[in-house]
Amino acid sequence: MHRFFCSEWDGSAIEVVLPLAEALHATRVLRLREGDAVGILNGRGFVGTGTIRSTDRRGAEVHCEILEVRQHARVGIPVRLCVAPPKGKNMDAVLRAATELGVARITPVLCRYGVSRPDGAKEGWREQLLAACKQSGNPWLPELDVATDFGSVLSSSEEVPFVGAVPGTGNASLPEQARLLAKGAALWIGPEGGFSPEEQEALQQAGAVALTVGRWILRVETAVPALLGRLDGILSGAQLKNARN
Amino acid sequence: MHRFFCSEWDGSAIEVVLPLAEALHATRVLRLREGDAVGILNGRGFVGTGTIRSTDRRGAEVHCEILEVRQHARVGIPVRLCVAPPKGKNMDAVLRAATELGVARITPVLCRYGVSRPDGAKEGWREQLLAACKQSGNPWLPELDVATDFGSVLSSSEEVPFVGAVPGTGNASLPEQARLLAKGAALWIGPEGGFSPEEQEALQQAGAVALTVGRWILRVETAVPALLGRLDGILSGAQLKNARN
């Protein structure tokens, strides 16, 4: 069943009109017609399943009848991703992976050694998140911030920074990591050239926890899913332990 | 410093002649010259650093003087990756991520619902591994098998299968997972359409441990680094514990 994104849907209506881009995709690319099954996401936990009730001749107006609504609690990896955006398609890969894995929020961070000063709207970042939600079935669209200077992000962040892809640094103990994660954490991933000495210093001052996977230098596209996988494991381990106590 | 791959180098010679493709890359693309610094990998743990001693006029014959040799123990994630190859560039992304993270061996598995019957040599898979070793600094080239039928791989595998990206299945307890990982494990990742019922049955018969990250459907390119990150975390946790006992 094909899924469509309709952020205006409040989860209660029994009929949904698809936004223009989704309607055209449904009728012209996927060639769906009246009676075909569809899934509807609103990015805030609601998933509707139903069928196409009618389309106009241009295929621009698609009315869907919702037959069943499921509301999902916010599950996934309750972490904010603060990432120095790599170029073009590599950032797309990062955004898709983070969305599939279910991060809560993504903040593109402009670092001293960053390669670009991107404009998320122009780059189509939100479209990547929507596509990943539809493909993975994640009913929660991550919050996406505009690209912001390193200093502003760090000083306004209330999350404990976990800093990834810094080879050779030590790890905090696992129980300590689990305790900090439970308080709310951000995963910080620097640009290809790394965080500058001043940025590293600022992260340390903010109580950063070093997090590594493997022993070698990771591209950002690898570091993001690998470190989120590691954080998810730490969280699951802590949950198991709590469940037992 | 640029790194070059020279599988014939045994780690002892004080002079290395670069293979043709590496030589041309050094002289024509990177425009390196006599006296420039280079790193040499042989894929079996040796890393040499030195300088270019001479090049011929065509740039096809590059002699390097090795000034220092380091031998690295086999570190990384001691896991065999058994993966149903996705198409084209997506398999490239999988191979690069697995190499950066330092898996020991990669076996492309031909599954019932797999999308392609690829020929690794034609697809340039080994080149992806070499590029990832050079970029990440991993001195150990993962062993790469030819694409092989699911049944043959599973029946000849001595590793405990950890099966990823099967949403909704439970996890073994962490201590149990750590114990099984220490015995030697393979991470099995199915094709986009999933493992067939017969394949799932065969994996269960072989004692498969289900492994999940997040709650949603992951693309293979996301599942591989996320689950390797998770396995690395389990192994590190077990090591920390052993170190304390």
PDB file of all heavy atoms in Angstrom, chain A residues 219-244:
ATOM      1  N   ARG A 219      32.697   8.335   7.504  1.00  0.00           N
ATOM      2  CA  ARG A 219      32.006   9.413   6.809  1.00  0.00           C
ATOM      3  C   ARG A 219      30.754   9.758   7.625  1.00  0.00           C
ATOM      4  O   ARG A 219      30.238   8.936   8.380  1.00  0.00           O
ATOM      5  CB  ARG A 219      31.598   8.971   5.404  1.00  0.00           C
ATOM      6  CG  ARG A 219      32.788   8.781   4.454  1.00  0.00           C
ATOM      7  CD  ARG A 219      32.307   8.136   3.180  1.00  0.00           C
ATOM      8  NE  ARG A 219      31.564   6.938   3.511  1.00  0.00           N
ATOM      9  CZ  ARG A 219      30.531   6.463   2.839  1.00  0.00           C
ATOM     10  NH1 ARG A 219      30.111   7.080   1.764  1.00  0.00           N
ATOM     11  NH2 ARG A 219      29.914   5.377   3.220  1.00  0.00           N
ATOM     12  N   VAL A 220      30.267  10.975   7.450  1.00  0.00           N
ATOM     13  CA  VAL A 220      29.082  11.394   8.201  1.00  0.00           C
ATOM     14  C   VAL A 220      27.911  10.451   7.933  1.00  0.00           C
ATOM     15  O   VAL A 220      27.168  10.095   8.847  1.00  0.00           O
ATOM     16  CB  VAL A 220      28.699  12.849   7.828  1.00  0.00           C
ATOM     17  CG1 VAL A 220      27.444  13.283   8.560  1.00  0.00           C
ATOM     18  CG2 VAL A 220      29.844  13.790   8.136  1.00  0.00           C
ATOM     19  N   GLU A 221      27.769  10.010   6.692  1.00  0.00           N
ATOM     20  CA  GLU A 221      26.649   9.132   6.321  1.00  0.00           C
ATOM     21  C   GLU A 221      26.718   7.796   7.053  1.00  0.00           C
ATOM     22  O   GLU A 221      25.699   7.119   7.220  1.00  0.00           O
ATOM     23  CB  GLU A 221      26.651   8.832   4.811  1.00  0.00           C
ATOM     24  CG  GLU A 221      26.747  10.034   3.922  1.00  0.00           C
ATOM     25  CD  GLU A 221      28.202  10.350   3.570  1.00  0.00           C
ATOM     26  OE1 GLU A 221      28.875  11.045   4.388  1.00  0.00           O
ATOM     27  OE2 GLU A 221      28.665   9.925   2.522  1.00  0.00           O
ATOM     28  N   THR A 222      27.922   7.363   7.421  1.00  0.00           N
ATOM     29  CA  THR A 222      28.065   6.122   8.189  1.00  0.00           C
ATOM     30  C   THR A 222      27.950   6.400   9.684  1.00  0.00           C
ATOM     31  O   THR A 222      27.326   5.632  10.424  1.00  0.00           O
ATOM     32  CB  THR A 222      29.432   5.462   7.899  1.00  0.00           C
ATOM     33  OG1 THR A 222      29.569   5.276   6.498  1.00  0.00           O
ATOM     34  CG2 THR A 222      29.549   4.114   8.608  1.00  0.00           C
ATOM     35  N   ALA A 223      28.558   7.513  10.119  1.00  0.00           N
ATOM     36  CA  ALA A 223      28.600   7.809  11.548  1.00  0.00           C
ATOM     37  C   ALA A 223      27.191   7.987  12.122  1.00  0.00           C
ATOM     38  O   ALA A 223      26.902   7.507  13.229  1.00  0.00           O
ATOM     39  CB  ALA A 223      29.430   9.069  11.803  1.00  0.00           C
ATOM     40  N   VAL A 224      26.309   8.659  11.383  1.00  0.00           N
ATOM     41  CA  VAL A 224      24.973   8.936  11.927  1.00  0.00           C
ATOM     42  C   VAL A 224      24.195   7.651  12.226  1.00  0.00           C
ATOM     43  O   VAL A 224      23.793   7.432  13.371  1.00  0.00           O
ATOM     44  CB  VAL A 224      24.184   9.895  11.002  1.00  0.00           C
ATOM     45  CG1 VAL A 224      22.714   9.941  11.369  1.00  0.00           C
ATOM     46  CG2 VAL A 224      24.790  11.302  11.082  1.00  0.00           C
ATOM     47  N   PRO A 225      23.989   6.740  11.246  1.00  0.00           N
ATOM     48  CA  PRO A 225      23.252   5.522  11.611  1.00  0.00           C
ATOM     49  C   PRO A 225      24.007   4.632  12.592  1.00  0.00           C
ATOM     50  O   PRO A 225      23.385   4.028  13.478  1.00  0.00           O
ATOM     51  CB  PRO A 225      23.013   4.820  10.273  1.00  0.00           C
ATOM     52  CG  PRO A 225      23.960   5.441   9.306  1.00  0.00           C
ATOM     53  CD  PRO A 225      24.227   6.832   9.796  1.00  0.00           C
ATOM     54  N   ALA A 226      25.339   4.555  12.479  1.00  0.00           N
ATOM     55  CA  ALA A 226      26.087   3.657  13.376  1.00  0.00           C
ATOM     56  C   ALA A 226      25.990   4.138  14.826  1.00  0.00           C
ATOM     57  O   ALA A 226      25.782   3.344  15.745  1.00  0.00           O
ATOM     58  CB  ALA A 226      27.549   3.574  12.938  1.00  0.00           C
ATOM     59  N   LEU A 227      26.112   5.450  15.031  1.00  0.00           N
ATOM     60  CA  LEU A 227      26.069   5.962  16.406  1.00  0.00           C
ATOM     61  C   LEU A 227      24.638   5.983  16.938  1.00  0.00           C
ATOM     62  O   LEU A 227      24.419   5.759  18.133  1.00  0.00           O
ATOM     63  CB  LEU A 227      26.710   7.342  16.467  1.00  0.00           C
ATOM     64  CG  LEU A 227      28.235   7.310  16.261  1.00  0.00           C
ATOM     65  CD1 LEU A 227      28.779   8.690  15.958  1.00  0.00           C
ATOM     66  CD2 LEU A 227      28.920   6.725  17.493  1.00  0.00           C
ATOM     67  N   LEU A 228      23.660   6.232  16.067  1.00  0.00           N
ATOM     68  CA  LEU A 228      22.262   6.124  16.534  1.00  0.00           C
ATOM     69  C   LEU A 228      21.945   4.681  16.911  1.00  0.00           C
ATOM     70  O   LEU A 228      21.244   4.427  17.893  1.00  0.00           O
ATOM     71  CB  LEU A 228      21.298   6.627  15.457  1.00  0.00           C
ATOM     72  CG  LEU A 228      21.264   8.151  15.264  1.00  0.00           C
ATOM     73  CD1 LEU A 228      20.402   8.522  14.057  1.00  0.00           C
ATOM     74  CD2 LEU A 228      20.741   8.857  16.521  1.00  0.00           C
ATOM     75  N   GLY A 229      22.478   3.729  16.140  1.00  0.00           N
ATOM     76  CA  GLY A 229      22.287   2.318  16.483  1.00  0.00           C
ATOM     77  C   GLY A 229      22.899   2.011  17.842  1.00  0.00           C
ATOM     78  O   GLY A 229      22.324   1.291  18.662  1.00  0.00           O
ATOM     79  N   ARG A 230      24.051   2.606  18.087  1.00  0.00           N
ATOM     80  CA  ARG A 230      24.718   2.387  19.374  1.00  0.00           C
ATOM     81  C   ARG A 230      23.907   3.007  20.513  1.00  0.00           C
ATOM     82  O   ARG A 230      23.727   2.397  21.561  1.00  0.00           O
ATOM     83  CB  ARG A 230      26.102   3.010  19.299  1.00  0.00           C
ATOM     84  CG  ARG A 230      26.843   2.936  20.581  1.00  0.00           C
ATOM     85  CD  ARG A 230      28.233   2.419  20.439  1.00  0.00           C
ATOM     86  NE  ARG A 230      28.650   2.011  21.753  1.00  0.00           N
ATOM     87  CZ  ARG A 230      29.888   1.829  22.137  1.00  0.00           C
ATOM     88  NH1 ARG A 230      30.844   1.954  21.271  1.00  0.00           N
ATOM     89  NH2 ARG A 230      30.170   1.465  23.352  1.00  0.00           N
ATOM     90  N   LEU A 231      23.413   4.241  20.327  1.00  0.00           N
ATOM     91  CA  LEU A 231      22.606   4.901  21.362  1.00  0.00           C
ATOM     92  C   LEU A 231      21.326   4.114  21.628  1.00  0.00           C
ATOM     93  O   LEU A 231      20.911   3.950  22.773  1.00  0.00           O
ATOM     94  CB  LEU A 231      22.259   6.329  20.934  1.00  0.00           C
ATOM     95  CG  LEU A 231      23.413   7.337  20.948  1.00  0.00           C
ATOM     96  CD1 LEU A 231      22.953   8.689  20.433  1.00  0.00           C
ATOM     97  CD2 LEU A 231      23.971   7.478  22.364  1.00  0.00           C
ATOM     98  N   ASP A 232      20.699   3.618  20.555  1.00  0.00           N
ATOM     99  CA  ASP A 232      19.470   2.845  20.725  1.00  0.00           C
ATOM    100  C   ASP A 232      19.735   1.599  21.562  1.00  0.00           C
ATOM    101  O   ASP A 232      18.921   1.220  22.414  1.00  0.00           O
ATOM    102  CB  ASP A 232      18.912   2.457  19.359  1.00  0.00           C
ATOM    103  CG  ASP A 232      17.513   1.860  19.452  1.00  0.00           C
ATOM    104  OD1 ASP A 232      16.653   2.484  20.091  1.00  0.00           O
ATOM    105  OD2 ASP A 232      17.289   0.770  18.899  1.00  0.00           O
ATOM    106  N   GLY A 233      20.912   0.993  21.335  1.00  0.00           N
ATOM    107  CA  GLY A 233      21.270  -0.182  22.124  1.00  0.00           C
ATOM    108  C   GLY A 233      21.446   0.155  23.595  1.00  0.00           C
ATOM    109  O   GLY A 233      21.003  -0.583  24.471  1.00  0.00           O
ATOM    110  N   ILE A 234      22.084   1.294  23.878  1.00  0.00           N
ATOM    111  CA  ILE A 234      22.289   1.695  25.279  1.00  0.00           C
ATOM    112  C   ILE A 234      20.932   1.943  25.949  1.00  0.00           C
ATOM    113  O   ILE A 234      20.679   1.508  27.069  1.00  0.00           O
ATOM    114  CB  ILE A 234      23.164   2.969  25.360  1.00  0.00           C
ATOM    115  CG1 ILE A 234      24.561   2.687  24.774  1.00  0.00           C
ATOM    116  CG2 ILE A 234      23.282   3.465  26.802  1.00  0.00           C
ATOM    117  CD1 ILE A 234      25.406   3.930  24.585  1.00  0.00           C
ATOM    118  N   LEU A 235      20.042   2.615  25.218  1.00  0.00           N
ATOM    119  CA  LEU A 235      18.705   2.888  25.765  1.00  0.00           C
ATOM    120  C   LEU A 235      17.929   1.597  25.998  1.00  0.00           C
ATOM    121  O   LEU A 235      17.277   1.431  27.032  1.00  0.00           O
ATOM    122  CB  LEU A 235      17.920   3.794  24.803  1.00  0.00           C
ATOM    123  CG  LEU A 235      18.365   5.257  24.799  1.00  0.00           C
ATOM    124  CD1 LEU A 235      17.843   5.964  23.562  1.00  0.00           C
ATOM    125  CD2 LEU A 235      17.849   5.947  26.061  1.00  0.00           C
ATOM    126  N   SER A 236      17.995   0.661  25.044  1.00  0.00           N
ATOM    127  CA  SER A 236      17.262  -0.602  25.209  1.00  0.00           C
ATOM    128  C   SER A 236      17.801  -1.375  26.391  1.00  0.00           C
ATOM    129  O   SER A 236      17.035  -1.974  27.158  1.00  0.00           O
ATOM    130  CB  SER A 236      17.399  -1.485  23.966  1.00  0.00           C
ATOM    131  OG  SER A 236      17.107  -0.766  22.816  1.00  0.00           O
ATOM    132  N   GLY A 237      19.141  -1.382  26.539  1.00  0.00           N
ATOM    133  CA  GLY A 237      19.754  -2.084  27.661  1.00  0.00           C
ATOM    134  C   GLY A 237      19.274  -1.511  28.987  1.00  0.00           C
ATOM    135  O   GLY A 237      18.919  -2.254  29.904  1.00  0.00           O
ATOM    136  N   ALA A 238      19.202  -0.176  29.058  1.00  0.00           N
ATOM    137  CA  ALA A 238      18.754   0.472  30.295  1.00  0.00           C
ATOM    138  C   ALA A 238      17.292   0.140  30.571  1.00  0.00           C
ATOM    139  O   ALA A 238      16.901  -0.092  31.712  1.00  0.00           O
ATOM    140  CB  ALA A 238      18.944   1.980  30.179  1.00  0.00           C
ATOM    141  N   GLN A 239      16.489   0.081  29.499  1.00  0.00           N
ATOM    142  CA  GLN A 239      15.075  -0.257  29.685  1.00  0.00           C
ATOM    143  C   GLN A 239      14.906  -1.675  30.198  1.00  0.00           C
ATOM    144  O   GLN A 239      14.115  -1.934  31.094  1.00  0.00           O
ATOM    145  CB  GLN A 239      14.311  -0.083  28.365  1.00  0.00           C
ATOM    146  CG  GLN A 239      13.996   1.381  28.062  1.00  0.00           C
ATOM    147  CD  GLN A 239      13.726   1.612  26.592  1.00  0.00           C
ATOM    148  OE1 GLN A 239      13.642   0.663  25.831  1.00  0.00           O
ATOM    149  NE2 GLN A 239      13.600   2.862  26.198  1.00  0.00           N
ATOM    150  N   LEU A 240      15.684  -2.597  29.610  1.00  0.00           N
ATOM    151  CA  LEU A 240      15.628  -3.992  30.064  1.00  0.00           C
ATOM    152  C   LEU A 240      15.934  -4.068  31.550  1.00  0.00           C
ATOM    153  O   LEU A 240      15.262  -4.767  32.295  1.00  0.00           O
ATOM    154  CB  LEU A 240      16.629  -4.850  29.294  1.00  0.00           C
ATOM    155  CG  LEU A 240      16.281  -5.253  27.861  1.00  0.00           C
ATOM    156  CD1 LEU A 240      17.437  -5.998  27.232  1.00  0.00           C
ATOM    157  CD2 LEU A 240      15.025  -6.124  27.861  1.00  0.00           C
ATOM    158  N   LYS A 241      16.966  -3.324  31.942  1.00  0.00           N
ATOM    159  CA  LYS A 241      17.411  -3.346  33.318  1.00  0.00           C
ATOM    160  C   LYS A 241      16.326  -2.783  34.246  1.00  0.00           C
ATOM    161  O   LYS A 241      16.007  -3.368  35.288  1.00  0.00           O
ATOM    162  CB  LYS A 241      18.664  -2.495  33.452  1.00  0.00           C
ATOM    163  CG  LYS A 241      19.661  -3.042  34.409  1.00  0.00           C
ATOM    164  CD  LYS A 241      20.991  -2.346  34.196  1.00  0.00           C
ATOM    165  CE  LYS A 241      21.967  -2.721  35.276  1.00  0.00           C
ATOM    166  NZ  LYS A 241      23.232  -2.020  35.077  1.00  0.00           N
ATOM    167  N   ASN A 242      15.749  -1.650  33.823  1.00  0.00           N
ATOM    168  CA  ASN A 242      14.670  -1.056  34.615  1.00  0.00           C
ATOM    169  C   ASN A 242      13.484  -2.007  34.733  1.00  0.00           C
ATOM    170  O   ASN A 242      12.864  -2.120  35.770  1.00  0.00           O
ATOM    171  CB  ASN A 242      14.188   0.263  33.983  1.00  0.00           C
ATOM    172  CG  ASN A 242      15.242   1.347  34.123  1.00  0.00           C
ATOM    173  OD1 ASN A 242      16.119   1.246  34.988  1.00  0.00           O
ATOM    174  ND2 ASN A 242      15.172   2.363  33.298  1.00  0.00           N
ATOM    175  N   ALA A 243      13.196  -2.697  33.627  1.00  0.00           N
ATOM    176  CA  ALA A 243      12.059  -3.626  33.626  1.00  0.00           C
ATOM    177  C   ALA A 243      12.284  -4.749  34.634  1.00  0.00           C
ATOM    178  O   ALA A 243      11.349  -5.245  35.256  1.00  0.00           O
ATOM    179  CB  ALA A 243      11.843  -4.190  32.227  1.00  0.00           C
ATOM    180  N   ARG A 244      13.576  -5.132  34.784  1.00  0.00           N
ATOM    181  CA  ARG A 244      13.902  -6.234  35.696  1.00  0.00           C
ATOM    182  C   ARG A 244      13.867  -5.781  37.170  1.00  0.00           C
ATOM    183  O   ARG A 244      13.507  -6.548  38.037  1.00  0.00           O
ATOM    184  CB  ARG A 244      15.265  -6.818  35.365  1.00  0.00           C
ATOM    185  CG  ARG A 244      15.161  -7.944  34.360  1.00  0.00           C
ATOM    186  CD  ARG A 244      16.463  -8.721  34.243  1.00  0.00           C
ATOM    187  NE  ARG A 244      16.836  -8.809  32.858  1.00  0.00           N
ATOM    188  CZ  ARG A 244      17.882  -8.218  32.308  1.00  0.00           C
ATOM    189  NH1 ARG A 244      18.683  -7.479  33.065  1.00  0.00           N
ATOM    190  NH2 ARG A 244      18.163  -8.361  31.052  1.00  0.00           N
TER     191      ARG A 244
END
